[in-house]
Amino acid sequence: MMRLGKILAKIILWFIGLSLAFVLLFKFVPPPVTATMLMDENSITKDWESLSNIDRNLVTAVIAAEDGKFCSHDGFDREAIEQAIERNAKGGRIRGGSTISQQTAKNVFLWQGGGYVRKGFEAWFTFLIEKIWGKRRIMEVYLNVAETGIGTYGAEAGAQRYFDHSAAQLSKVEAARMAAALPLPKERSVANPTGFTRRYGNTIAARMGVVRRDGLDSCVYE
């Protein structure tokens, strides 16, 4: 048992050390590829852009759509987590109440799916990136690794695919449509949205005014 304990302790220490090393590295270096990209059956299109080259409208839109408390939480929206736990207790697909920070941690360091085991690792990496990266870097990485369409990753690749221009010049409507498709990028149309996606995009566009008015995206630009 003592030998097993020592082996387990070494594994834990190696994991902590490696995870810290990668988080520190990606604070300054763009993540070259993610597990989601590697497992994508489609050919991959991605184009890293610094946050200064991504229109603020998209930052405002994803906060409006995905995480209105992004600038005020520490990586975890506890109210959303409690609501997710209540829904999960009723059965069905596990929902995590994920913040943008949690989604970034998952996209960069982990894999899709995996239930509570993956959520545990996700919590660790979320804690690390909140402490080491800060909000601006989290948003920058999120907008560069998020899947924005079939085989398409990042804001720049998505903007070029759907609107034939750079992510630096996204209108309010374009940004809202991209944000509306993020949860299901392979299924929701950005260029010609209909039904729910169109209505949701309009709702996000309306929320963007509140985000900007109340400074809910201010931590990204401090």
Side-chain angles (χ1 to χ4, degrees), residues 37 45 51 55 61 78 96 110 112 116-117 125 153 175:
M37 294 176 190
T45 301
L51 194 61
D55 198 292
R78 287 160 180 77
L110 302 168
Q112 305 297 322
Y116 289 113
V117 173
F125 280 106
Y153 292 85

Side-chain angles (χ1 to χ4, degrees), residues 10-219:
K10 287 182 178 179
I11 292 173
I12 292 173
L13 287 173
W14 270 102
F15 171 73
I16 292 173
L18 285 172
S19 58
L20 279 169
F22 277 110
V23 170
L24 284 167
L25 176 67
F26 293 152
K27 177 179 174 66
F28 306 102
V29 178
V33 70
T34 67
T36 304
M37 294 176 190
L38 291 173
M39 292 187 288
D40 198 319
E41 298 176 351
N42 305 282
S43 59
I44 301 303
T45 301
K46 61 186 181 73
D47 188 358
W48 181 278
E49 285 290 347
S50 67
L51 194 61
S52 60
N53 291 330
I54 298 175
D55 198 292
R56 186 168 181 168
N57 277 330
L58 187 58
V59 173
T60 305
V62 297
I63 289 176
E66 300 285 305
D67 187 1
K69 299 177 183 178
F70 178 69
C71 284
S72 59
H73 63 57
D74 59 358
F76 305 94
D77 184 343
R78 287 160 180 77
E79 182 180 354
I81 291 172
E82 290 174 1
Q83 293 174 353
I85 291 172
E86 292 178 3
R87 290 196 301 267
N88 296 339
K90 298 177 182 178
R93 183 167 65 89
I94 293 176
R95 298 176 183 272
S98 294
T99 62
I100 286 175
S101 301
Q102 288 174 276
Q103 292 177 51
T104 305
K106 175 189 67 178
N107 289 341
V108 174
F109 300 103
L110 302 168
W111 61 93
Q112 305 297 322
Y116 289 113
V117 173
R118 197 222 66 215
K119 294 296 289 185
F121 286 116
E122 180 185 293
W124 167 246
F125 280 106
T126 299
F127 169 78
L128 289 183
I129 64 175
E130 279 280 339
K131 295 299 183 182
I132 296 172
W133 289 4
K135 297 294 186 179
R136 182 175 176 85
R137 180 60 174 175
I138 290 172
M139 180 61 71
E140 181 174 57
V141 174
Y142 175 71
L143 292 179
N144 274 284
V145 301
E147 188 177 8
T148 51
I150 298 174
T152 307
Y153 292 85
E156 180 63 22
Q160 293 289 351
R161 171 176 179 167
Y162 297 119
F163 309 121
D164 294 320
H165 61 71
S166 169
Q169 302 172 339
L170 289 169
S171 70
K172 186 176 180 179
V173 171
E174 290 170 342
R177 288 180 177 179
M178 288 186 69
L182 280 176
L184 293 169
K186 287 184 170 66
E187 301 176 18
R188 297 180 180 177
S189 172
V190 176
N192 298 293
T194 59
F196 171 82
T197 305
R198 187 178 186 84
R199 292 193 300 274
Y200 186 36
N202 291 338
T203 299
I204 293 170
R207 291 176 183 170
M208 288 170 67
V210 176
V211 171
R212 196 68 65 84
R213 182 195 69 200
D214 293 347
L216 301 182
D217 61 351
S218 60
C219 62

